[in-house]
Structures are given as C-alpha cells and as structure tokens.
Amino acid sequence: MTYLLIVLLVCGAVASHLWWRQRYRLLEGALRRERQSGESAHKLRQQQTAQNEAEQQALFNSMTEGVLILDPAGRVQLVNRSLQHFFDLKTDVTGRTIMEAFRLPALAEMIRRLPQERIVQNQELELPGIRGRWMEVNAAAVCDREGTQHGSIIVFHDLTRLRQLENTRQEFVANVSHELRTPLSLIKGFVETLIDGAKDDPELSARFLRTIEKHTDRLTYLIEDLLTISRLESGQIIMNLHEVELRAEVAQVLDDLQARAAEKKVTLLNEVPAELEVRADSDRLQQVLFNLVENAIKYGRAEGTVVVGGKIGADGKAEAWVQDDGPGIPPDAVDRVFERFYRVDRARSRETGGTGLGLAIVKHIVQAHGGEVRVETELGQGTTFFFTLPQIQKVKTEVPAQAG
C-alpha cells in the first residue's frame, strides 16, 4: 500500500512538473511571439515614418517655391531643393539658426516676429550677390489647439523675373519717351520759328522744312520699328516660309543700298554661294539683311568693304554673315548690341538716323525662323554679324533605266 502511494505521488509530481514545463513553454512561446510582433510593429512604424518623410521631402523638392521649416527652437529642420538653389547652399544647414544658415538679418527679424504675429505675408527680400535675386516671403507659425508654437514654415517665391520685366518695361518706356521727345522738340522749334517770320525767307524756310521732314521720317521709322518689334514678340507676324535662294536675296538688298554705300565710297561684295538655298520668309529675310548691311555701311570704315557671305554649318543649318572693316565694338557692349534702343555710340547713331531697334528686330526675325544670331568683333579690325537659317534639304530621285 505504501509502495503504491509512493508511486502515485511520484507520478503526480512528474505529471505536475511536465504540466508546468509545458505551461512555461507555452508562455515563453507567447512572450516570444508578442515580442516579435512588437518588433515587427516597431519596424513597420519606422518604415512608415521613413516613407512618409521621403514622400514629404519629394513633395517639397518638387515645388518651385522655396520651403523652409523650423523647429520650436527656431533651428532649420527642412530645406527643399528650390531654396537650396535660391540661396546657393552648398552644405547641409539642418540644425542651424537662421543667421547661421542664411546670414540675413531681415529674414531673422521676420522669424522673430512670428510668435506674436503668427503670420507674416508678402514681405520682399533682396538676396545679396551679383545676381540681384528678389524674393517674396510668407511665414506662418505652426501651433496646436492651445496656441503653443511647435515650429514655423516659411515659403519663398522668386520675384526676380517679375522685377526684371518691370525694369525692362520702365526702361523701354523711358527710352521710347526720350526717342520721341527729341525729334518732336526739334520739329516744334522749327515750326515756331517759321511762324514767327522765318517763313518769309524762302531759303531759310526751305532749310527748316527739310529738317522737319528729316525728323518726321525719323519718327515714322521709329513707330514702324516699334510696331514690328511688338508684332514679332507677340507672335502676330506669321512667317511665309518657302524655298529662297540666299544669294539672290542678298543681291537685291545690296542693290537697294548701293547709293548709300556710294556716299561713303564703300564696296559691297556678295560672296554667298549660288547653290545655297534656305527655308525663310523672303520679305523678313531681306529685312534682316538690309538692317545688317545698312549698319555695316553706317558704322564701318569710309572707303571700306562690306562682305556678305554664307555656307552650310556643321549642324546642317545655313549660316550667313555680314562683315565690315570698321572700328569694331567695345567688349563691354558686345553682349548688349541686340537690346532694344542700345547704341554703342548714341550721338553717331542719331546723326545717321538710327532708331536703336534694328538689331533687336534682326534677332527676333532670326529666332522666329528657328535660327540664332551672334556677333564677333575686334577693335580696329571690324565686326561680323552671323545668323543661321534652316537649309533646304534636296531629295535626289533616280530615274529607273529603261529596258533596252
């Protein structure tokens, strides 16, 4: 009996041990699974956070506006690609203060006002440097429902192009006003003189009337050139493109300008190959050639030579040029000669009747043809204006041989 009781107690103890061991294993497995599940959830949250940050960065980088995000301490938390370009940032500025990152007291003052004003709008900011870049800045404090500030977001909009257009418009209006005022003042002065009695002197009145006619023509040319520029820039002029023999067009222009060249004893040479054909608007092409050759006669050397040439360029386009042997253009003026109303020698240009719009018209017409225009010059050696035009591609067809 005692033996049986001992056996039962041993069996019970073994069974209890086995049960608790199994229970421990089950609990251990559950804890392990829970820990793995927790690690997976944590890893998933990390992946989701990283993905959200990447999507946010991609969104900010795709914006044309510059975006700057600051943390509650006013240090840089995020800068998008546009802002890096605007400020030409070469290093990572994350974690820096506004002054450390951008060194702009005006921007730092704007951020300092945010806690009180919450929103700062339409503030213009000029960035230092030779590029003259202007920004419109809008800033807002990021606050929770209780009004506690958790950072700031600042958006920069580039106003540089708009400012340039405004300056161009103002300069254009000033130039037009000046160009109109001069001949109008002269015409008014001579008319008043005639009214006051000069009309009774036939010789004097004839001279005054010729001067009035000269300045009236100048006004007419100026207005016509202004209208041409306006139509070209707005796309109102439709190019009538067709096959044109460049040498024939040059010959026509040189014939029209032969009398003006003779006044300065300038020799005009047509060195364009006879086989060179381009796709162009004949009337506009003649306008380009006329302006360039006329300028070469005006500003070239007296008793000099003006050469018009042409060839097929390496890119397959036809290239033409007008070359003179005059004094050349100063280096600081080369990049500006195609600007409206820009003159290398203002006094001389007005004496010769120039409006200051000829080369600007040349540039617009050539670009409307899909070509480019440029200038090469050397002081004392002359100036050459080049322009390109689409070349006519000849397609050769072979006639099949007849069976004999």
Side-chain angles (χ1 to χ4, degrees):
M1 186 66 179
T2 302
Y3 176 76
L4 179 61
L5 181 60
I6 293 173
V7 170
L8 289 174
L9 289 173
V10 172
C11 289
V14 171
S16 177
H17 174 74
L18 292 175
W19 183 85
W20 281 109
R21 186 176 180 181
Q22 181 65 26
R23 183 70 174 169
Y24 175 78
R25 287 179 177 176
L26 291 173
L27 289 172
E28 186 181 32
L31 289 172
R32 185 168 57 252
R33 286 193 298 273
E34 185 176 352
R35 185 167 58 252
Q36 290 174 347
S37 177
E39 291 176 353
S40 298
H42 179 66
K43 185 180 294 184
L44 182 61
R45 285 195 298 272
Q46 286 183 326
Q47 292 175 349
Q48 187 65 41
T49 301
Q51 181 179 353
N52 291 339
E53 290 178 353
E55 291 176 352
Q56 184 186 60
Q57 188 70 48
L59 174 63
F60 285 148
N61 285 336
S62 66
M63 297 174 63
T64 56
E65 290 81 9
V67 178
L68 170 64
I69 296 179
L70 304 179
D71 63 15
R75 294 184 176 273
V76 177
Q77 187 176 1
L78 183 144
V79 172
N80 74 339
R81 189 173 292 122
S82 293
L83 194 64
Q84 291 174 342
H85 171 69
F86 292 158
F87 285 88
D88 196 23
L89 299 177
K90 302 298 185 183
T91 59
D92 185 12
V93 295
T94 303
R96 299 183 185 179
T97 65
I98 288 292
M99 283 302 295
E100 290 172 344
F102 302 100
R103 300 189 182 281
L104 288 175
L107 181 59
E109 173 61 21
M110 194 182 307
I111 303 305
R112 190 190 62 79
R113 291 158 43 196
L114 271 182
Q116 292 77 34
E117 301 182 18
R118 299 297 185 186
I119 296 178
V120 177
Q121 292 182 315
N122 305 325
Q123 298 292 307
E124 290 194 5
L125 184 68
E126 183 178 11
L127 306 189
I130 60 174
R131 292 180 296 179
R133 189 180 290 275
W134 283 86
M135 293 286 157
E136 180 185 81
V137 185
N138 295 279
V142 180
C143 303
D144 57 20
R145 294 182 179 179
E146 287 72 27
T148 304
Q149 184 174 344
H150 293 283
S152 310
I153 181 167
I154 303 95
V155 179
F156 299 77
H157 180 69
D158 192 359
L159 295 179
T160 306
R161 179 60 178 164
L162 182 61
R163 279 298 185 94
Q164 290 174 344
L165 290 174
E166 289 178 353
N167 292 337
T168 300
R169 178 183 60 80
Q170 293 171 357
E171 184 179 354
F172 177 73
V173 171
N175 283 330
V176 170
S177 301
H178 180 74
E179 294 296 333
L180 291 174
R181 186 185 298 113
T182 302
L184 284 174
S185 298
L186 290 170
I187 291 171
K188 186 175 186 301
F190 282 114
V191 169
E192 289 175 348
T193 304
L194 287 170
I195 292 174
D196 289 341
K199 64 180 182 297
D200 298 327
D201 184 336
E203 183 178 350
L204 190 61
S205 62
R207 181 163 62 86
F208 283 3
L209 288 172
R210 283 194 296 269
T211 303
I212 291 172
E213 181 185 30
K214 172 185 174 183
H215 289 287
T216 302
D217 289 341
R218 180 179 168 188
L219 282 175
T220 302
Y221 298 147
L222 176 61
I223 292 170
E224 288 178 351
D225 284 351
L226 285 171
L227 291 174
T228 300
I229 283 280
S230 176
R231 289 196 296 266
L232 284 168
E233 290 183 340
S234 62
Q236 295 179 7
I237 294 181
I238 299 176
M239 296 294 169
N240 181 24
L241 302 178
H242 57 278
E243 185 175 329
V244 174
E245 293 183 1
L246 186 56
R247 183 178 177 86
E249 300 298 323
V250 172
Q252 178 65 50
V253 169
L254 296 188
D255 185 61
D256 293 341
L257 289 169
Q258 190 61 52
R260 297 190 190 183
E263 293 175 2
K264 291 185 63 176
K265 298 181 180 180
V266 172
T267 302
L268 303 179
L269 299 179
N270 184 354
E271 296 185 356
V272 177
E275 67 277 5
L276 185 55
E277 297 180 347
V278 296
R279 183 171 178 79
D281 183 315
S282 179
D283 292 337
R284 296 301 170 188
L285 176 58
Q286 286 199 16
Q287 191 172 8
V288 168
L289 292 167
F290 190 96
N291 284 346
L292 292 178
V293 174
E294 184 182 40
N295 276 357
I297 295 171
K298 284 181 183 178
Y299 308 119
R301 182 172 57 86
E303 300 183 9
T305 303
V306 174
V307 180
V308 184
K311 67 175 183 179
I312 303 300
D315 57 356
K317 288 186 176 181
E319 183 178 58
W321 59 85
V322 177
Q323 181 182 40
D324 66 56
D325 51 4
I329 300 174
D332 59 340
V334 171
D335 293 334
R336 300 193 61 191
V337 291
F338 294 104
E339 294 179 11
R340 292 176 294 187
F341 294 113
Y342 183 80
R343 295 182 174 94
V344 177
D345 186 343
R346 292 182 177 273
R348 187 180 177 192
S349 296
R350 291 194 178 95
E351 288 176 3
T352 54
T355 65
L357 295 171
L359 291 178
I361 291 174
V362 166
K363 178 181 177 180
H364 279 85
I365 292 177
V366 171
Q367 289 179 341
H369 280 81
E372 297 177 351
V373 62
R374 61 187 175 89
V375 59
E376 293 182 2
T377 184
E378 185 176 350
L379 290 178
Q381 301 298 318
T383 302
T384 305
F385 285 89
F386 297 85
F387 65 93
T388 60
L389 293 170
Q391 179 200 1
I392 295 296
Q393 300 293 332
K394 297 284 188 179
V395 179
K396 296 183 179 180
T397 56
E398 296 182 359
V399 179
Q402 297 180 355

